[in-house]
Every structure is written in C-alpha cells, then in structure tokens.
Amino acid sequence: MQNQLQDRIRLPALRERVTTAEAAAQWIQDGMTIGMSGFTRAGDAKVVPMALAKRASTEDLKITLMTGASLGSDVDKTLTEAGVLARRLPFQADPVLRAAINRGDVMFVDQHLSETVELLRTRQMAPIDIAVIEAVAITETGALIPTTSVGNSASFAILADKVIVEINLTQSLELEGLHDIFIPKHRPQREPMPLMSVQDRIGTSVIEIPPEKIVAIVITEKLDSASNILPADHETAAIAAHLVDFFKNEVTQGRLTKSLLPMQAGIGTIANAVMQGFINSPFEHLTMYSEVLQDSTFDLFDAGKLDFASGSSITLSPQKSREVFGNIGKYKDRLVLRPQEVSNHPELIRRLGIIAINTALEADIYGNVNSTHVMGTHMMNGIGGSGDFARNAYLSVFATKATAKNGLISSIVPMVSHVDHTEHDVDIIVTEVGLADLRGLAPRERAQVIINRCVAEPYRAMLNDYVERANQGGGQTPHVLQEAFSWHQKFRETGSMLPVNAQAEHKVPEKEEALAMV
C-alpha cells in the first residue's frame, strides 16, 4: 500500500491527509452545496457519498448536489433514501431519485449540460462549498488526474472552497495523459476556444488546484457502474439502417464525404445501436465529438471505421469495460476526455459541423421533440446535452421507436406534451418505420412527411385524420386544440392511445396500471 500511495499521491505532504470515507464526509455540513465528479455512471465519487448517507440516519443533513450528469454505484438512490438530497442538478437517471423528484420531495433543476459551470462561474447559482472528485492520482504539484470522466469535475475543484479526493486504485495509471482540461476565461475577456479539429488538445492533462484546498483523501477500490444498455433489436437495427441509407444519399448528393462529419450520439440503447450500424457501412475514417463514449465507439475502433473520439466520459458494458480498460494503451492515442463545457460548447459544435444523433421520448407531427417528460408531467432523466447539440449541429437527428409499451403508446403524437427541442432545431426524425427529412419544409409539409414515413398503423391513419381536420381550421401550424392532447388523456384514462376497435388486439392495462406506467 505504501508504494501505491507514493505512485498515487506524489506530493508527500498530502499523504498525511489520507483518511476514511466517514472522516472525510464530516467536512460536509447541512445546507451545503456539493459538487461531485461523475458523468453518466463514469468517474463518480463512490464512497464518501455513501458515508454521508449513513450520517443522515443520525442527524439532519440535506445538501444541494451538483454533478456532471448521472451517477452510478447507487449513489443517487442511497442519498435519496437517506433524505440527504434537497436539490439535485443538472441530470439524473436513477428510478428512486426520479420518483422523489416527481413526488416533489427533491427539487430537480434540469439544465443544458454546457451551462451548469457557466452559472457557477458567474455566481448566478449558490457557490460550491466542497468538491468530491475521483482521481487516478495526485501529481507532485497537487494537481488531480481524473479517471474515466471529466464532466464538471475540473470547475467544481477550481471553484470549491475545499476538495475531497477519492483515489481509485482500480483505475489504471495509464489513464494519465488521456484528459484535456481547458477552462474558459471570465467574460467579457473570454477568448475563443482554440479547438479546430476533433483531435486538437488545447489544455492541460490535469486539474490544477492549490494543494492546500485538498482537505481529505480517501482510497477506494470500487469499479465504475457498468452501462445498462441493451443489445440491438429489430427496431433499433432498422433505425440504424434508415440512417445509413440517408447518409449514403448525402454522400451521393455531394453534401458529405465517406468520412461524414464528426458525430455525436446520445446515451442509451438506441443511440448505441445506431452507431454500431456504421460498422457494416461504406463510411470510413469517421470521427466522434460527443459526450459519452459507449461500447459502439470501441466497436468502431476495432472495426477500423473510427479514427478518433473526443468525449467527456467513457461508460461501457461489463465485458467491453474489461476489454478496453484492460488494454487502454491500444486506444489512448485516439481518445481524449474533456470538460463538458468544452465537449458540449455550442460554438464548437457549430464550428466542427457535428452530426448529432439523440433520442426522443416523443415527437409531434410538426417536429417538436420531448426528451424529458412522460405524459408532459413526470420527469424521466433530463435534457442532458441534447439541446446543446441539437440547436447547433450541422444535422440534428432524433431517433425513437414508433411505439412504446407494446404498441399502447405512439411516439409520434399530434402535439408533444412537453417541448425540449422545437421544430426549428430538428432536421431528421427516424423510427424503425422510416426516416423523415424535414430540412426546408414548412409545417404542413413536415406533418405529411413525418406521418407517412415514421408512424406505425393504426396511429398513421389517426394522425392523417387529425391533420385533415386541423387543416380545415387554417393557420401556419394547424391544430385542433381541443384534441391536441387527447391521446395523452386517453392513455391516462384507459391505459392505451389506441382506438377502441384496435384495443382488442393488445393487452390494455387497468387504469391504475396505466397511471403506474406513467
């Protein structure tokens, strides 16, 4: 252990600050704002938050918790059950926390992932009291070497009054040098970020902070939580095939080359399956400029299709994690991890010409997209980085299965029950049924293309009937207002959006079951 400490804590004076998770958690007091590392289950603090939850069983303790994105290791679940969370931002993906948010027990602030530290830096939100950061090691100058994510960790550590470091011995020292930490200057003296291509490195490989800010160091050996993505199925494979065909045509038309443009893919099963669809495509020398690098990133590397990938975290399935992190040197010179205010920076997204592929809970006939709220009211996970990319991408693609809950819900509806991305920011909608290219189309034209190319029966006939009657009322964007949310209301009342004559073919739940599904 002593040799490991010398390798992992290279500033001798800091070795005296090694302590237990319970002692480190004592620095955190009721009412504080805490910034923790972690971006989509990767590189998150793992043992100090658990010690904090244990403390809450014997004392009143509530905090505001900021992270990069979602956490793993059941951290959000445990903190919620312990009653520690008063406020949470900017993203989450835990079912227990989600339920607490939807009950109103935890105040959730859903933010674009590029904006959180901007608000902190300009003191538009309460300042960070303590940052809890997972690291591979601490350098001779007291700088932190992150693990499998950067997220907001750098800015949290810089802006916080005090820093607690979790040194994770399961993370390879070979990760050193993988990161590119660039921190923008304060406005109005801010200079442009000098990143001109995906491969550019514009910052340092470590998080530089004064070593006296580090008040406690905890040694951990807990692995990152594995990704929970599912294998591709018939529908996700069909979505990928539609997109590959679309990009083939873009190449034929001379709008793209076989290298396309740098790609971004949202998290989850659909986005991962779509990216895997490029393995057996004619495209080559691809690049990625994304947030989360999933299994598909490394599948594309191994297939010789991908030249370089830039992200903010690496989140993998158990098998892929063993393959990649057991041989990280194989990929290291083709990877970089950045702060999320760089990976998600709107100006960089527009400059690099990103092709953004994100997922939707639902879309409507005019191309508005709901990414966050089930039936318009209940938070799922959060907007994440999809808004950063959708508004500024060269091409903004939203993918979804045409139906949900075994056909009881149509993912294409007359009007979305919550708007995260307006029709102005959506270029392509794709389902397993087909792909709608909305570029250059007026609302009435969009409606016809979306309905006829993306919607499954019997919902296609229902939407065509709706549009025909809406058009009779006129308007740039015709609607029958008294019916615009009738499909959502029908689901709440009956457990299905299907017409009565089609419900016999499906197992429709009782009303109580339907509400539970919401």
Side-chain angles (χ1 to χ4, degrees), residues 386-430:
S386 57
D388 297 322
F389 284 91
R391 179 67 184 90
N392 300 284
Y394 169 81
L395 275 173
S396 175
V397 179
F398 280 92
T400 181
K401 293 187 178 183
T403 63
K405 302 296 181 184
N406 295 318
L408 299 178
I409 295 174
S410 175
S411 299
I412 311 295
V413 293
M415 183 182 287
V416 287
S417 55
H418 177 89
V419 180
D420 291 296
H421 314 284
T422 75
E423 60 183 281
H424 309 289
D425 297 337
V426 180
D427 298 315
I428 307 291
I429 292 177
V430 58

Side-chain angles (χ1 to χ4, degrees), residues 178 198-201 262-263 286-294 296-298 300-301 306-314 331-338:
L178 182 65
V198 172
Q199 297 91 333
D200 287 350
R201 289 177 173 270
M263 291 188 292
L286 300 172
T287 57
M288 290 189 70
Y289 190 84
S290 195
E291 306 161 294
V292 183
L293 305 181
Q294 301 186 93
S296 55
T297 303
F298 297 91
L300 285 165
F301 274 138
L306 186 65
D307 285 357
F308 199 92
S310 168
S312 196
S313 74
I314 302 173
Y331 305 99
K332 187 174 175 181
D333 63 349
R334 294 179 287 169
L335 287 173
V336 63
L337 294 182
R338 310 182 191 277

Side-chain angles (χ1 to χ4, degrees), residues 55-305:
R55 263 182 62 201
S57 64
T58 59
E59 61 181 280
D60 291 332
L61 182 60
K62 285 192 175 293
I63 64 170
T64 292
L65 176 60
M66 298 182 184
T67 59
S70 57
L71 301 175
S73 303
D74 286 335
V75 169
D76 271 328
K77 172 180 181 290
T78 304
L79 291 175
T80 301
E81 291 174 338
V84 173
L85 298 182
R87 185 174 295 268
R88 179 75 169 87
L89 63 157
F91 187 85
Q92 56 77 42
D94 180 78
V96 173
L97 174 55
R98 182 185 304 139
I101 290 167
N102 288 321
R103 289 194 305 269
D105 295 341
V106 176
M107 295 295 103
F108 178 56
V109 183
D110 186 21
Q111 290 179 327
H112 295 298
L113 295 189
S114 66
E115 291 188 344
T116 304
V117 297
E118 291 280 25
L119 294 170
L120 284 171
R121 189 179 289 119
T122 53
R123 301 189 299 279
Q124 297 181 70
M125 291 194 302
I128 298 284
D129 294 299
I130 295 177
V132 186
I133 308 297
E134 184 181 80
V136 171
I138 302 174
T139 72
E140 293 82 356
T141 64
L144 309 182
I145 302 169
T147 58
T148 50
S149 73
V150 179
N152 284 326
S153 299
S155 290
F156 287 164
I158 291 167
L159 295 171
D161 293 333
K162 299 178 177 65
V163 178
I164 298 170
V165 182
E166 291 192 7
I167 299 288
N168 193 327
L169 300 182
T170 69
Q171 300 285 5
S172 171
L173 284 169
E174 281 196 84
L175 291 174
E176 185 171 357
L178 182 65
H179 314 89
D180 184 42
I181 311 299
F182 180 89
I183 304 298
K185 294 181 180 179
H186 286 263
R187 299 185 184 100
Q189 286 80 32
R190 179 174 296 179
E191 300 170 350
M193 292 187 186
L195 194 148
M196 305 303 294
S197 70
V198 172
Q199 297 91 333
D200 287 350
R201 289 177 173 270
I202 60 175
T204 65
S205 61
V206 297
I207 302 170
E208 295 175 339
I209 58 172
E212 57 269 21
K213 289 177 64 168
I214 300 174
V215 295
I217 300 171
V218 180
I219 307 300
T220 75
E221 295 186 74
K222 292 193 69 173
L223 295 170
D224 279 346
S225 296
S227 166
N228 53 12
I229 58 172
L230 300 173
D233 56 23
H234 174 73
E235 288 85 3
T236 54
I239 291 170
H242 293 316
L243 272 173
V244 168
D245 286 343
F246 167 79
F247 288 121
K248 285 180 182 177
N249 185 62
E250 290 296 289
V251 173
T252 299
Q253 297 298 321
R255 291 189 284 263
L256 291 171
T257 70
K258 284 191 175 181
S259 298
L260 303 181
L261 282 166
M263 291 188 292
Q264 175 261 341
I267 61 171
T269 298
I270 293 178
N272 190 68
V274 166
M275 294 306 298
Q276 285 179 323
F278 286 94
I279 292 173
N280 295 316
S281 75
F283 310 116
E284 56 190 9
H285 298 298
L286 300 172
T287 57
M288 290 189 70
Y289 190 84
S290 195
E291 306 161 294
V292 183
L293 305 181
Q294 301 186 93
D295 285 22
S296 55
T297 303
F298 297 91
D299 292 337
L300 285 165
F301 274 138
D302 292 342
K305 291 288 187 177

Side-chain angles (χ1 to χ4, degrees), residues 361-365 368 370 373-377 408-419 459 462-463 479 482-498 514-515 518:
L361 286 179
E362 63 179 1
D364 68 26
I365 57 175
N368 300 292
N370 171 15
H373 285 70
V374 178
M375 295 293 143
T377 56
L408 299 178
I409 295 174
S410 175
S411 299
I412 311 295
V413 293
M415 183 182 287
V416 287
S417 55
H418 177 89
V419 180
Y459 297 112
M462 294 164 63
L463 284 173
H479 271 297
Q482 63 269 32
E483 296 181 28
F485 296 122
S486 62
W487 292 23
H488 300 87
Q489 185 62 31
K490 183 192 297 182
F491 179 81
R492 282 187 172 277
E493 292 173 353
T494 71
S496 173
M497 289 183 176
L498 289 163
L515 290 173
V518 175

